[in-house]
Structures are given as C-alpha cells and as structure tokens.
Amino acid sequence: MSCAALASQSRPFLGSPDNTGFLFCKYAGQVISGLTLPPAPFLFGLLLRGEELQWAKIFPGRLLLMLGRHYQTDFPYPLWSDRQREPLASAAQLKPMLHFAYGLRLPGTMVIRTRSEDHGFIQVLLPVEQRQQAVSWLEHWPAGKTLTILGGITRGADCFLVHVPGRASKAVAFNLPYSQADALGAVHCVLVQQRFNGGVVDGDGLVMGLTAAAFQHVIGCLKLGHSCEIQPSVVRGQRHLGLRVQFLPRAVIESGVAHLVPADTPRRYHPLAIAAASMPRG
C-alpha cells in the first residue's frame, strides 16, 4: 500500500478541496468480475478525503478497513471511490496513533489470530526477503518493554478488527456472513512485557503479553532473523493466546491463510451480505 498527495492547484481536484490524495492498494479477494482491468500486476487508487491523507501515510491498513466497515458492500474494503462521502478521519483523531509511525513496518507482513479447539495463536508472518531490514531496524530500536509490529490486509481472513474513533479498547469486527472468526485479521500487534505469556484482542490490533525472558527471546530471534513460538500461560484456569513469529516468502504470505487454518474452515470469499458486529475484549 502507498499513498500520493494531490499537488496544489488553482482549482480543487474534482471540484472539492476535500479531495486530498489517493491510496493505492492491491486486490484482496473482492468481486471484480465484469471489470475491465489491465494486465497484472496493477493497483487500485482510492480517493482520500480531508485528513485521511495523513492517516494513509501512517496507518493505511486501518483506513482501508474503516472504509470497508463504512460501506459494508465489499469485503474487506471497497475498490471504488465516493466523491461525496464525509471524511472518516480528523486531525484530532490522528494524534493518538502517531506512535505507530515508529513501529516495525515491513511491506507484506501479516498479523492474524488463528484458533483451534483448545486455544489460539497470534501469528506474525514477516517476509523473508526483508529479514535484513528487520534486523537493521531492531539494531536502532530503543530497547524498551513494548514493540509494535504493523501488518497489512490479510488476504483470506474471514474477519477483521476495525478501528472506531473514540472506542480505543472496544474490538469491532467486520466479517463475512456465518464467519466463526477462525482467521481474524488485524493491522498491528504489540508485544509488551508482563507477568505471564498471553495475548488478547484490543481495539483493531492484537496485544501479546510476554514475561521478561520470553520478551527477550522473541527480540533475540527477530534480531537473528529466526522464527519462534511462545506457548500461552494458564491463568486462573483460562488459557490465553500464544505467539508464533515466522519469516516466510512474501509470495506465501500474500497467498492468504490457507496454510495457517484447517482445511474445513468456511469459504472466505463471499460477494454479498457482509456483517459488522461487536466483539468482547479478549
């Protein structure tokens, strides 16, 4: 994903000063039959309104899913533009998310929660082609107790966590009909030190709490470009989410989630009847 601002001109673009730029994105499983398209590869350009341009520079995945939930006609986001819609973002809403500009951002990264009968895992898939960039970024990382990893739109997820301004910790889901959220996509994962190992859904992201030893183990593996797995702790009889971090070929990551979830999970590409629902935290 990338964005471009419109150059200053005497006449507003398409007749409105609120048209500020374009966000360029890939096809992600939407229905495109009947469209006249150029030979692959190609991108779709979505018109940005107002302060959305600034959001697109920092957190394009979050904005795409907000558009998807707003229209609820194409999953996970529309491939067309509405010149008359109101902007979905404001400058005031931008400030709380500026810290995401300093997260680990590698194009092609997938952040997803998968689950089985006993418990689930937060899975962070990083493109092996950019392993050296990840290592270099971590060499300059101001070692602390939290690490944010930014992800894109996971092709094949049957449900996504969507940001709603003003509801920082409330998880809102945008999902296919009859979805069981077996493959729950998110646009970021935060690793944070705590007293036990366990992950939860938080807002439109996933938070993985790690003991000090586990946190350092994950950071050490990332610095070496190695994959790792952290089993979740059992706290008061409740098993939380575990963590898997893997370096995989980007083509494998972008092919979707088929290699991560059981073969009998529901079909993930559906042209109609998209639902939006609230999900409890956890």
Side-chain angles (χ1 to χ4, degrees):
M1 289 173 285
S2 61
C3 62
L6 294 171
S8 300
Q9 47 193 332
S10 57
R11 299 178 61 183
F13 181 69
L14 296 177
S16 173
D18 283 335
N19 297 330
T20 51
F22 283 92
L23 175 57
F24 296 97
C25 55
K26 292 183 177 181
Y27 160 77
Q30 299 92 333
V31 177
I32 57 175
S33 58
L35 294 180
T36 301
L37 299 171
F42 55 84
L43 298 174
F44 290 87
L46 304 183
L47 184 65
L48 297 173
R49 304 271 292 165
E51 297 295 335
E52 290 174 357
L53 176 62
Q54 303 306 318
W55 278 54
K57 292 178 179 179
I58 296 175
F59 219 152
R62 172 176 280 185
L63 183 57
L64 284 176
L65 293 176
M66 288 172 64
L67 283 168
R69 183 174 182 268
H70 177 75
Y71 287 106
Q72 298 188 33
T73 54
D74 295 280
F75 184 87
Y77 53 84
L79 298 175
W80 45 271
S81 299
D82 178 1
R83 293 191 292 169
Q84 306 302 321
R85 70 173 174 82
E86 293 296 319
L88 300 183
S90 68
Q93 297 163 353
L94 179 65
K95 187 175 181 180
M97 58 183 259
L98 289 177
H99 67 281
F100 285 110
Y102 304 100
L104 175 57
R105 185 192 307 267
L106 299 176
T109 298
M110 175 193 292
V111 176
I112 193 167
R113 185 212 66 188
T114 57
R115 62 184 180 187
S116 57
E117 293 182 359
D118 52 350
H119 65 282
F121 275 89
I122 293 173
Q123 304 213 39
V124 179
L125 307 183
L126 303 165
V128 68
E129 296 88 345
Q130 299 192 55
R131 178 158 42 192
Q132 189 54 50
Q133 288 91 320
V135 172
S136 298
W137 186 90
L138 285 163
E139 288 177 351
H140 298 89
W141 173 60
K145 295 184 178 182
T146 62
L147 172 64
T148 299
I149 301 174
L150 300 174
I153 305 298
T154 301
R155 184 173 179 180
D158 58 357
C159 185
F160 285 94
L161 297 170
V162 186
H163 174 76
V164 178
R167 299 174 64 179
S169 62
K170 182 68 173 180
V172 176
F174 175 50
N175 54 275
L176 289 172
Y178 314 114
S179 162
Q180 299 299 312
D182 294 306
L184 177 66
V187 290
H188 66 90
C189 176
V190 179
L191 309 181
V192 58
Q193 284 192 40
Q194 64 178 27
R195 291 178 295 175
F196 61 91
N197 297 324
V200 296
V201 172
D202 185 51
D204 64 341
L206 300 168
V207 176
M208 182 66 198
L210 299 164
T211 64
F215 186 85
Q216 293 303 320
H217 174 68
V218 173
I219 298 301
C221 287
L222 286 171
K223 287 182 175 180
L224 294 173
H226 294 170
S227 300
C228 63
E229 179 174 314
I230 302 295
Q231 291 291 328
S233 305
V234 178
V235 181
R236 298 176 183 175
Q238 180 179 2
R239 185 182 290 273
H240 293 257
L241 299 172
L243 175 68
R244 289 182 180 138
V245 179
Q246 294 178 273
F247 284 91
L248 294 173
R250 183 167 178 173
V252 173
I253 297 174
E254 293 185 344
S255 69
V257 301
H259 61 293
L260 297 177
V261 295
D264 58 354
T265 51
R267 179 175 172 82
R268 285 172 165 64
Y269 301 112
H270 196 290
L272 300 172
I274 297 166
S278 294
M279 295 182 61
R281 177 186 159 109

